[in-house]
Amino acid sequence: QEKKIFSVQGPYPIIRSLLRARGWVERKLPRSACCGAWPSLGTAEPLHSPCPPGEKEEEEEEQQWDEDADGIHDLMSCLVRNQVPYFIWTNRRSTIDCRLLRQDQVVNHYAQVGAFTTKEGLCLSLRNLPWFDRADPDTFFPRCYRLGAMDERQAFIEDFRLTAARSLLKMALERAGDVPVGTEQPLKSGKGPGESHVPDPMPSAAGPGPPLPPQLVEEALQVCEQHLGSLGHQDIDGDPLSPHMTATDWDRFLRDCYRVAHEGAVLALSGAQRERGRALLQHLAGQLPQLGMEGNHNVWILKPGAKSRGRGIVCAARLEEVLGLAGGCVAPSARAGEWVVQKYVERLLLIFGTKFDVRQWFLVTDWNPLTVWFYRESYLRFCSRPFSLRRLDPARHLCNVSIQKQCGPARGRHPRLPPDQTWSCRQLQAYLAQVGRADAWHAVMVPGMKVAVVGALRSAQDLVGSRKGSFELYGADFVFGEDCQPWLLEINASPTMAPSSTVTGRLCASVQRDTLRVVIDRRNNPTCPTGAFELIYKE
């Protein structure tokens, strides 16, 4: 009569315990439900719903079953086996057919969320953000291309070439003793424990070779001048600002850029070129929000479009390598957008010389009007080896727990890094205070993450299947530039609640507890505490 019957699918003992403490009774599901065959939770008929294409959930790393030593919960579940569950929590949206649900059933998923929880979906959706919001996605989402779409593949190639030209100018100026405007680094090497400066590459064993011709810098200047003109729409009626470069010219230009970036080749830079380069980069910094974070090694990260937990992700710094790794995705039989390539954030905020990312939870309780809750607690995941742009292996660049588990312990790891490779955001705040940036978390990092979350949701709002009575908890992954500005990497549906460390064990339990406060307790008492959840947006 009180409609306090629930069903849980997946390893969520905390959800079960919290609901039972509220007087709810579980309608347990057969073990076969884990294999995909679920009884319908709105009717008595069996339901089998395959995972829709483009949907991605962050799968649990461990399967656990609730302990019921005295059998009392099994007995109570048996008594309600023919009753409708009014609260349903699953780790896969595809196991529920929302069309069969009653209006008074609450479910922890929405339909069609692949519009922002897959890498290709987020890539596409955020391009539409200017239609919905004044926010610029280039200020919080590294530029991204679907390599399966031929027009985007060509756009990526052009972007790679332009980035190579900018990178060459930055390296030339830095080696001449200049720091280009717009690319300043707040934390310099050796200035405190938060070393974040990325050193220039060491020459190869064969040596840097003879100096490259002055024409190389001149070509880079002309390319950047032409690009700046196109950004200002000066190329619409007039002649091109630099000679047209053929594919052969670009191949030669990129080979020389690789020599400078990866082999330490010497650049000849005249005084006039130095002044032109400084002015150009200063003007470009006003047009390109990502100029500072993109660094000067032209590293890109290649990702399968709909996988999670870091699977299949590769970093590369050569155009032919990126296109070769993703070669299968441009075959006629491949699904368009199967792979995405994204600019790697090279100028990262590091902790003890090591890369980290932040898992930030947020909760959507309605899509119309869009209602977003931001969790005040989050956690950091560290890589197991020191950051280096000369070595692009996963141990240094992918913070996913499942990836780092495969890497094993590293020699030379900083002794102050946590053995379990996780910190809470409170530990990060204490660290930032130690390095003289006590206000960065609340003044820059959190506000930036909120803008990115709301922007991603608004850009996908018209594509998601809204349903009154549903809600969903998501996990967004961020890295931070050396200026502490956040960069959104991806958003996960069904973020893992498996405790991989002491920190995640505590925080995963608290976010589940507070989620139930918002979606259950607040229905009956709108003024009840919502724990660490903060309402940040409601249309």
Side-chain angles (χ1 to χ4, degrees), residues 68 86 102 168 175 228 250-251 262 322 394 397-398 400 427 435 442 474 479 518:
D68 185 14
Y86 292 94
R102 296 165 36 153
L168 188 76
R175 293 179 188 181
L228 182 61
W250 275 116
D251 289 343
H262 309 305
V322 174
H397 298 279
L398 302 183
N400 309 71
Q427 289 172 290
V435 296
H442 292 293
Y474 302 99
V479 293
V518 173

Side-chain angles (χ1 to χ4, degrees), residues 86-130:
Y86 292 94
F87 183 91
I88 303 164
W89 185 293
T90 82
N91 62 356
R92 291 182 180 275
R93 189 212 62 79
S94 54
T95 57
I96 295 292
D97 189 339
C98 292
R99 296 170 299 178
L100 302 178
L101 294 173
R102 296 165 36 153
Q103 289 186 350
D104 52 0
Q105 287 181 281
V106 177
V107 182
N108 72 321
H109 291 291
Y110 294 100
Q112 288 87 51
V113 296
F116 66 95
T117 63
T118 61
K119 296 173 182 67
E120 64 168 294
L122 190 61
C123 174
L124 283 171
S125 294
L126 280 173
R127 293 175 189 171
N128 298 322
L129 180 60

Side-chain angles (χ1 to χ4, degrees), residues 45-278:
E45 297 300 320
L47 168 69
H48 177 70
S49 178
C51 185
E55 294 285 340
K56 171 185 70 72
E57 290 100 2
E58 186 180 53
E59 301 164 3
E60 296 294 336
E61 299 181 8
E62 299 178 11
Q63 291 295 318
Q64 308 171 31
W65 286 98
D66 183 46
E67 296 295 332
D68 185 14
D70 56 7
I72 185 63
H73 296 306
D74 279 337
L75 175 60
M76 297 177 72
S77 180
C78 184
L79 295 176
V80 298
R81 65 184 179 274
N82 295 322
Q83 301 297 314
V84 172
Y86 292 94
F87 183 91
I88 303 164
W89 185 293
T90 82
N91 62 356
R92 291 182 180 275
R93 189 212 62 79
S94 54
T95 57
I96 295 292
D97 189 339
C98 292
R99 296 170 299 178
L100 302 178
L101 294 173
R102 296 165 36 153
Q103 289 186 350
D104 52 0
Q105 287 181 281
V106 177
V107 182
N108 72 321
H109 291 291
Y110 294 100
Q112 288 87 51
V113 296
F116 66 95
T117 63
T118 61
K119 296 173 182 67
E120 64 168 294
L122 190 61
C123 174
L124 283 171
S125 294
L126 280 173
R127 293 175 189 171
N128 298 322
L129 180 60
W131 293 100
F132 304 98
D133 200 312
R134 287 178 295 178
D136 180 1
D138 283 344
T139 62
F140 62 80
F141 184 65
R143 53 194 188 273
C144 187
Y145 302 92
R146 300 176 303 146
L147 290 180
M150 294 307 296
D151 58 336
E152 294 193 34
R153 181 177 184 269
Q154 187 57 40
F156 159 67
I157 292 172
E158 294 174 5
D159 192 337
F160 188 97
R161 291 167 173 172
L162 291 171
T163 306
R166 292 193 298 271
S167 298
L168 188 76
L169 288 186
K170 286 187 276 187
M171 286 186 288
L173 290 171
E174 287 175 9
R175 293 179 188 181
D178 276 338
V179 178
V181 175
T183 65
E184 299 91 339
Q185 307 307 317
L187 295 177
K188 295 298 183 183
S189 180
K191 300 293 184 182
E195 184 174 318
S196 61
H197 175 67
V198 181
D200 281 328
M202 294 296 290
S204 65
L212 293 171
Q215 182 62 23
L216 181 64
V217 174
E218 187 62 31
E219 287 178 335
L221 286 165
Q222 291 179 1
V223 167
C224 290
E225 286 169 345
Q226 184 179 28
H227 184 213
L228 182 61
S230 69
L231 292 172
H233 306 293
Q234 296 175 12
D235 62 334
I236 295 178
D237 300 315
D239 295 328
L241 296 178
S242 67
H244 175 70
M245 290 180 67
T246 66
T248 303
D249 293 333
W250 275 116
D251 289 343
R252 174 193 48 77
F253 180 81
L254 290 179
R255 284 196 300 270
D256 288 340
C257 289
Y258 300 152
R259 288 186 57 196
V260 175
H262 309 305
E263 300 173 19
V266 178
L267 278 170
L269 182 68
S270 70
Q273 288 177 330
R274 184 169 174 173
E275 292 304 315
R276 284 170 64 197
R278 283 178 56 83

